[in-house]
Amino acid sequence: MTLKYYESFESNNKITGQQVGYYFICKTKLWLSAHKINMELESDNVLVGKQLHENSYKREKEYLIDNIINVDFIKKRDNIEVHEIKKTPKMEKSHEYQLLYYMYYLEHEKDIENVVGFIDYPKIRKKVKLELDDDKRREIESIINEIATIINSDIPKPQKSKICSKCAYFELCWI
Ligand code: SF4
């Protein structure tokens, strides 16, 4: 099975891991980022994430795969372990599905079997293990289709939420 491509927006693009994360955070953010209106480099959260990686997992290498998924680090044990490092579990659902998508991508696009995922929260010494079963595979496929629909439609109306004040797009949405 191949991943759903954007049909009318940009025919060579695939859904990225970041877009799957944004789908659970804010549909406006997802649309803006997919349309290359990208201000996330200025965000403190991104810088904090990079520092976390450097401080807690200095020896681990990041993997950018096909410019589609950006895995914090990979370990080969009995299974292939895919790790994502996060600061807090506040956006756990977004973290969870982003990582499930990485696992799905490796399985479907790279024919890698027995992938398990871990979300690492080094600041609170928490680790969440994820496995990709058939229900999750179907869910990921349905999310991919919904993301493609959002991206190919008009920009979704911003919905104010607790995260807006820390979002890189705050001024664009609300000022
Ligand atoms: S400011 Fe709020 S509504 Fe706008 S993109 Fe960010 S999270 Fe979404």
Side-chain angles (χ1 to χ4, degrees), residues 26 28-29 32 158-161 163-164 167 169-170 173-174:
C26 170
T28 312
K29 190 176 174 95
L32 286 165
Q159 306 285 327
K160 202 135 201 182
S161 74
I163 62 161
C164 289
C167 174
Y169 296 115
F170 181 81
C173 290
W174 303 111

Side-chain angles (χ1 to χ4, degrees), residues 109-124:
E109 298 290 303
K110 305 294 176 195
D111 292 326
I112 298 175
E113 291 178 350
N114 300 323
V115 182
V116 289
F118 288 93
I119 310 175
D120 299 296
Y121 298 100
K123 285 198 143 188
I124 55 168

Side-chain angles (χ1 to χ4, degrees), residues 16-27 29-30 40 45 84-86 88-103 119 121 128 130 139-140 143 147 163:
T16 67
Q18 186 187 55
Q19 287 162 0
V20 173
Y22 284 176
Y23 173 83
F24 289 94
I25 294 172
C26 170
K27 310 288 191 281
K29 190 176 174 95
L30 163 62
E40 197 63 61
N45 281 339
E84 189 64 7
I85 307 164
K86 297 292 183 191
T88 75
K90 271 189 210 152
M91 294 186 192
E92 195 154 26
K93 192 158 184 198
S94 156
H95 302 162
E96 185 185 323
Y97 279 87
Q98 188 169 340
L99 185 53
L100 285 168
Y101 178 65
Y102 291 173
M103 295 156 71
I119 310 175
Y121 298 100
V128 177
L130 299 178
E139 221 183 323
I140 291 289
I143 289 165
I147 289 174
I163 62 161

